[in-house]
Amino acid sequence: MVNSQHKGTGPRTALVAKTLATVTAEEIDGSLAILRREGLVVADTHVSYFGLLEPDKRAVLAGVSGDRCFRAFIIDMTTGLSHDVVVSPSDDRVVSQHQLDPVTEGGVPVVLREFSYVEEVVHADERWLAAMARRGLTDISTLRVNPLSAGVLAEGEHGRRIQRCFTFVQNTPEDLGWAHPVDGVTVMVDVVTGEVLDVIDYVDLPVPLEDGNFHLAEWRGPDREGLKPIEITQPEGPSFTIDENRVLSWAGWQLQLGFDQREGLVFHNISINDDGTQRPVVYRASIAEMMVPYGDPSPQRWFQNFFDCGEYLLGGFANSLELGCDCVGDITYLDAVVANNDGSARTIPQAICIHEEDAGILWKHTDNWNGSSDSRRNRRLVVSFFVTVGNYDYGFYWYFGLDGTLEFEVKATGVVFTSAYPAAGYPFASELAPGLGAPYHQHLFSARLDMMVDGVDNYVDELEAAVVPRGESNPTGSGFTQLATRLTTESNAQRIADNLKNRVWFIGNPNSQNRLGNDVGWVLYPEGKPLLIADSESDIHKRATFATKHLWVTAYEPSELYPAGDFVNLHPGGAGLPAWTAANRPVDGTDIVLWHTFGLTHFPRVEDWPVMPVDTTGFVLKPHGFFGRNPALDIPETIGDHCGPDGAHDHTTHAHGGHEHHGH
Ligand code: CO
């Protein structure tokens, strides 16, 4: 295990932690004061996004004390003029400002004003009223207007800020409106001018009548009986510590927690202990984009593709976990701080959940020759948050394991997007309840993994299983081997998973070797599920090109943060990864960033209605020749009194464990 040539984390001092610390309310307020003073934020300005503008990694790691600068996206909702602004509270100045060209550069993310405004505007529109009246819907107070990001703009729409709107019937204030979609009518609203640009009344389908009020006990019916309490206790408290810069230490892992309005949880300087040395693994990790493309090409919903990071800033929709009992055990909650649309700071109490959980068996062997029988119990550190973005709810769970496994998992739940389902059947949706449809769709995520395996200079080898041709070295034909192919440039480092070949990606360091003389590394294990299914000429393919490969590797460049570009909302496409990688920079043995696409392809089930049981997707990173042996040999035999040392090898004692109520 002793491997003295491995460099530790170097200048990962308190200064580094302070430079990368999460945004505070004081910093938001201080920045707003400067923006007001400089006339950038006035009465009708909405602050769409506010976040830390991280310094160049090279400066941070060199220990150069930098300003903490912040980036704000702002829009004047009377003119639509939008700016990308950088402000430095410590220097008390605006560092830069750029006015967006809405035709070529897209728009800033959706602001809350747009949600409430469209219902007002649509409720007053004669064409929409007529379309509703034709369907017998005359009680306007029951009609909810659901604004949706516009996707690619059509002829005559360019340069405008548009929401496309659907209508749902909410029969009572308690009713679940998603159960009653008014399908076939789409309203285009310019949210700056307040004009209704068009009302598409494409098809008249009956509004599904059956309620979906799962939140009401009388609607759900009686509770299932026979379930007794499960309680998790940690009588001595949790095993992690967290400091004032939110540097979290647990069982050899160290990582700094940040929270961003766009990406949610952001981790910096993830390192792991090896015989007293903290060895770096990842410089920065986040989910940099997620998008939900719908597969129904009909005139009323062809545009339906939601970018929950780039268009909606999902971090701002983090749930306050004090409102729902979501976690079990000894929980530590942290608040998240984001900016309101008026530019003021908003604290989301208890947005981030940190806890340990039991994770089954870590390792185990009973040896028939020497008679030994050993087993160790695994546990993992869980850092998570939950967001609600419209109909869907997503949990983002980062798991850190005792054996070095780093896993990310999304838990997708909430209510599926609904449509009316024609009696004749429909090839682009499932039927969930009588006359109620759910269009087929995908949930595609992009993890941005700025790797730093024992240092910033890394490379990626694609590893895969291969049959060896019959011949002198393989006379029986049973031979198979593992092939390694170096991904040398940005163009040949755009890869698609292949589970039939056990294809994985090894992130190695050419300057650091293990005790066997091989480069140390970490391996990314993809789930290998479908990528974007829409065809290669489609608008969504242009806007979400990142989702057409499971892996991209790029040369580190501090401004390259979002795989579909900085301004995804109303963007015509081509930004982000496809634009950057056109330079085809070398990625072999230099400072690199991995971008990993993963996700769910969702053909909704009847059982997904009215609220969807959690479905999961994610990825795993594991050390691969990074350590000199199993790094979890040092885990003590038993922790806690459930299997006391005396009972560990005694089946009778073990099973009954002195629990008085066993056998009830
Ligand atoms: Co879904």
Side-chain angles (χ1 to χ4, degrees):
M1 286 287 271
V2 182
N3 222 334
S4 52
Q5 86 268 29
H6 295 311
K7 278 179 272 175
T9 45
R12 289 215 12 246
T13 56
L15 179 65
V16 171
K18 274 191 172 56
T19 305
L20 299 172
T22 203
V23 173
T24 66
E26 293 71 33
E27 289 172 325
I28 295 176
D29 292 341
S31 300
L32 178 64
I34 296 168
L35 293 173
R36 284 206 174 115
R37 188 189 69 207
E38 300 300 321
L40 282 160
V41 169
V42 295
D44 293 307
T45 307
H46 292 241
V47 176
S48 167
Y49 166 78
F50 185 95
L52 176 68
L53 181 69
E54 292 178 23
D56 189 312
K57 175 210 277 179
R58 292 159 287 209
V60 175
L61 292 175
V64 177
S65 169
D67 262 1
R68 272 172 65 84
C69 289
F70 301 91
R71 189 177 186 190
F73 301 161
I74 57 179
I75 179 168
D76 182 328
M77 287 300 285
T78 60
T79 61
L81 285 182
S82 300
H83 287 85
D84 177 4
V85 183
V86 176
V87 59
S88 166
S90 58
D91 269 7
D92 193 29
R93 68 189 180 102
V94 171
V95 176
S96 68
Q97 53 177 299
H98 167 70
Q99 185 179 319
L100 296 184
D101 175 347
V103 177
T104 58
E105 292 180 283
V108 301
V110 173
V111 295
L112 294 180
R113 158 83 175 145
E114 295 171 64
F115 290 112
S116 47
Y117 188 45
V118 291
E119 186 160 299
E120 226 175 276
V121 168
V122 171
H123 274 187
D125 184 78
E126 291 301 331
R127 290 161 292 179
W128 175 81
L129 286 165
M132 294 301 116
R134 267 196 295 283
R135 291 162 173 79
L137 301 169
T138 51
D139 182 358
I140 305 307
S141 71
T142 65
L143 300 179
R144 297 283 75 77
V145 177
N146 177 218
L148 302 166
S149 55
V152 164
L153 297 175
E155 276 305 306
E157 293 179 334
H158 294 285
R160 287 182 178 268
R161 191 167 173 90
I162 289 174
Q163 295 274 338
R164 306 193 196 279
C165 308
F166 292 163
T167 308
F168 292 81
V169 180
Q170 189 183 17
N171 287 311
T172 66
E174 281 199 317
D175 192 27
L176 184 81
W178 304 109
H180 314 297
V182 183
D183 209 344
V185 181
T186 305
V187 190
M188 318 303 176
V189 179
D190 182 320
V191 290
V192 173
T193 64
E195 295 164 87
V196 172
L197 302 175
D198 197 8
V199 177
I200 291 177
D201 189 351
Y202 167 66
V203 62
D204 186 359
L205 291 166
V207 176
L209 295 176
E210 191 177 283
D211 288 340
N213 293 323
F214 63 90
H215 57 299
L216 302 176
E218 64 272 24
W219 188 88
R220 282 196 308 267
D223 287 345
R224 192 179 304 185
E225 290 178 358
L227 293 172
K228 296 186 166 51
I230 292 182
E231 288 184 10
I232 314 291
T233 58
Q234 290 182 274
E236 297 173 39
S239 313
F240 56 82
T241 58
I242 185 158
D243 76 8
E244 72 278 8
N245 292 313
R246 295 190 166 180
V247 174
L248 184 56
S249 301
W250 176 80
W253 285 99
Q254 230 178 59
L255 42 113
Q256 185 174 18
L257 293 179
F259 194 88
D260 179 76
Q261 188 182 353
R262 183 164 183 162
E263 301 172 282
L265 272 174
V266 175
F267 295 91
H268 281 105
N269 286 315
I270 300 174
S271 67
I272 191 164
N273 179 62
D274 181 10
D275 200 42
T277 302
Q278 283 300 129
R279 296 172 61 191
V281 181
V282 186
Y283 175 74
R284 188 184 190 277
S286 68
I287 302 304
E289 191 53 90
M290 70 158 290
M291 53 87 68
V292 186
Y294 282 77
D296 181 351
S298 64
Q300 80 269 28
R301 60 174 79 248
W302 60 272
F303 65 88
Q304 229 186 324
N305 301 295
F306 308 129
F307 291 72
D308 284 351
C309 294
E311 290 177 336
Y312 289 102
L313 304 174
L314 64 77
F317 296 110
N319 289 182
S320 186
L321 298 171
E322 63 183 354
L323 300 175
C325 186
D326 295 320
C327 305
V328 292
D330 193 320
I331 309 298
T332 298
Y333 290 110
L334 298 178
D335 296 346
V337 177
V338 295
N340 284 314
N341 286 161
D342 68 4
S344 61
R346 175 165 60 98
T347 297
I348 306 170
Q350 301 192 358
I352 302 162
C353 172
I354 307 170
H355 72 284
E356 290 170 278
E357 65 186 25
D358 183 84
I361 293 296
L362 173 61
W363 54 261
K364 179 177 172 67
H365 179 60
T366 300
D367 195 86
N368 290 329
W369 286 345
N370 69 20
S372 68
S373 181
D374 287 277
S375 124
R376 296 294 184 277
R377 193 104 194 133
N378 201 5
R379 70 171 76 184
R380 56 190 186 181
L381 176 71
V382 189
V383 185
S384 68
F385 71 107
F386 239 101
V387 300
T388 301
V389 190
N391 53 304
Y392 263 107
D393 301 75
Y394 298 98
F396 292 75
Y397 284 68
W398 296 82
Y399 301 106
F400 300 86
L402 294 176
D403 65 344
T405 299
L406 197 174
E407 186 174 1
F408 174 77
E409 181 182 67
V410 168
K411 297 176 191 282
T413 178
V415 182
V416 295
F417 207 97
T418 54
S419 57
Y421 194 85
Y426 196 60
F428 302 110
S430 323
E431 189 174 27
L432 300 188
L436 180 73
Y440 301 150
H441 60 277
Q442 299 184 276
H443 306 254
L444 298 171
F445 300 80
S446 175
R448 182 180 182 278
L449 301 168
D450 184 346
M451 299 302 292
M452 191 178 162
V453 176
D454 260 357
V456 294
D457 291 339
N458 289 169
Y459 62 83
V460 178
D461 276 350
E462 181 166 281
L463 306 181
E464 59 187 20
V467 64
V468 174
R470 277 192 189 235
E472 217 168 290
S473 71
N474 181 26
T476 62
S478 53
F480 66 92
T481 190
Q482 189 177 45
L483 298 179
T485 307
R486 181 67 49 91
L487 307 180
T488 55
T489 65
E490 288 178 331
S491 64
N492 68 31
Q494 298 172 19
R495 306 299 303 159
I496 292 177
D498 187 346
N499 287 350
L500 292 180
K501 291 184 175 164
N502 207 56
R503 182 175 289 172
V504 300
W505 295 294
F506 173 89
I507 304 107
N509 184 328
N511 308 312
S512 180
Q513 284 72 40
N514 62 25
R515 67 191 183 99
L516 306 178
N518 300 316
D519 292 351
V520 301
W522 220 269
V523 161
L524 170 62
Y525 296 83
E527 284 181 344
K529 289 179 182 169
L531 293 162
L532 181 68
I533 296 171
D535 88 22
S536 60
E537 299 303 311
S538 61
D539 290 331
I540 189 57
H541 193 283
K542 295 182 187 76
R543 299 184 68 219
T545 309
F546 76 87
T548 64
K549 310 285 178 189
H550 289 105
L551 180 75
W552 305 70
V553 184
T554 58
Y556 171 75
E557 158 55 43
S559 65
E560 296 177 358
L561 289 169
Y562 312 115
D566 286 9
F567 299 99
V568 178
N569 192 20
L570 304 160
H571 197 284
L577 283 168
W580 307 327
T581 56
N584 201 20
R585 296 165 291 191
V587 293
D588 181 4
T590 184
D591 189 356
I592 56 172
V593 176
L594 274 66
W595 306 77
H596 175 44
T597 305
F598 57 94
L600 299 164
T601 295
H602 195 179
F603 299 103
R605 303 174 297 147
V606 174
E607 289 82 356
D608 289 335
W609 183 255
V611 63
M612 180 187 150
V614 163
D615 201 354
T616 62
T617 181
F619 62 88
V620 174
L621 280 163
K622 287 189 188 197
H624 191 102
F626 185 81
F627 294 102
R629 62 177 192 177
N630 179 348
L633 291 181
D634 58 352
I635 300 306
E637 195 171 356
T638 51
I639 304 162
D641 58 8
H642 258 62
C643 314
D646 297 339
H649 302 120
D650 178 331
H651 288 268
T652 309
T653 314
H654 190 126
H656 295 276
H659 296 287
E660 285 170 35
H661 19 261
H662 184 87
H664 279 206

